[in-house]
Amino acid sequence: LSSNTRLFWQTVNYSPEYLQLIEQHLGLPITGNLDQLVENYRQTYYTKNCTNFHGPDFCFIGASKYGDINNFNMIQPKLLFPEESMGEALKAAAENGQREIVQLLLLSRTFTQETIDEAFLLAAKNRHLETMNILLDIGVRGAVVVQEILSAIDNKQFGVVKFLLNDRSLEYLDHEN
């Protein structure tokens, strides 16, 4: 930890009220104790040491969401995950713009059309254009592209609208007519 980070935690540790505010904000049990906060955080959220506290599914999805390629590679080759976990990992990676993880997942398994469409919408929601492009290459239904164009217009996300109205994206609409 940096000296500023250490100083922050030392200061907070002397104030159970601050710790309780942090715990409340994180949705953790309220203890007012720094050691307990750290332990509860590890039990609840993905961390680099996830495999010490959680099962492989939780850690695999967390590594996908946060782009932790080291944990992703450590966990993924060892296990065959059920379709549901793989789909959740794809959607988490897409939503967070983890392009490299999305590519690795798409190479490792065939996903349902519904999962690909959902991942595309999650990537679009957060304007992850490169991730959207990868999913368009796999094949997103034209109706989903239209749905996202309308949503992007409503939300004034004109970069997404411009991206989706390029010639390549419009090809998806032509194939469904």
Side-chain angles (χ1 to χ4, degrees):
L1 297 174
S2 73
S3 60
N4 287 340
T5 304
R6 255 188 239 106
L7 180 61
F8 167 77
W9 283 112
Q10 287 172 349
T11 303
V12 167
N13 196 28
Y14 293 116
S15 173
E17 296 83 25
Y18 288 147
L19 290 171
Q20 291 170 348
L21 285 172
I22 293 168
E23 290 169 325
Q24 181 180 10
H25 182 74
L26 293 171
L28 300 174
I30 307 299
T31 66
N33 177 287
L34 180 60
D35 292 333
Q36 206 50 53
L37 181 150
V38 170
E39 183 62 26
N40 289 334
Y41 184 88
R42 288 178 178 153
Q43 294 293 330
T44 305
Y45 294 101
Y46 174 83
T47 65
K48 298 276 185 190
N49 299 326
C50 183
T51 55
N52 295 334
F53 305 98
H54 297 281
D57 277 13
F58 181 91
C59 296
F60 182 67
I61 292 168
S64 298
K65 178 177 182 177
Y66 295 106
D68 185 349
I69 196 73
N70 292 330
N71 268 352
F72 179 89
N73 285 331
M74 182 183 77
I75 298 166
Q76 198 262 345
K78 295 180 182 176
L79 300 166
L80 288 175
F81 289 98
E83 185 175 320
E84 182 179 322
S85 294
M86 292 294 282
E88 289 303 312
L90 179 66
K91 290 185 278 187
E95 181 175 20
N96 290 283
Q98 304 298 341
R99 182 181 77 244
E100 186 177 3
I101 300 280
V102 168
Q103 289 172 318
L104 290 170
L105 286 166
L106 291 171
L107 289 172
S108 71
R109 179 173 290 194
T110 302
F111 290 89
T112 66
Q113 185 64 56
E114 181 180 344
T115 298
I116 291 170
D117 291 347
E118 287 177 30
F120 174 80
L121 291 171
L122 289 166
K125 178 180 86 172
N126 294 312
R127 297 184 220 142
H128 297 302
L129 302 182
E130 292 177 6
T131 303
M132 290 168 63
N133 204 33
I134 293 165
L135 293 162
L136 281 170
D137 283 343
I138 296 299
V140 176
R141 286 183 287 200
V144 173
V145 174
V146 169
Q147 175 187 343
E148 185 49 39
I149 290 170
L150 296 174
S151 175
I153 290 169
D154 288 344
N155 293 313
K156 296 180 178 25
Q157 295 177 330
F158 298 114
V160 173
V161 174
K162 182 179 178 183
F163 173 79
L164 289 172
L165 289 177
N166 70 41
D167 291 336
R168 194 172 155 281
S169 295
L170 293 175
E171 290 174 19
Y172 294 94
L173 303 179
D174 291 339
H175 292 302
E176 288 192 7
N177 293 331

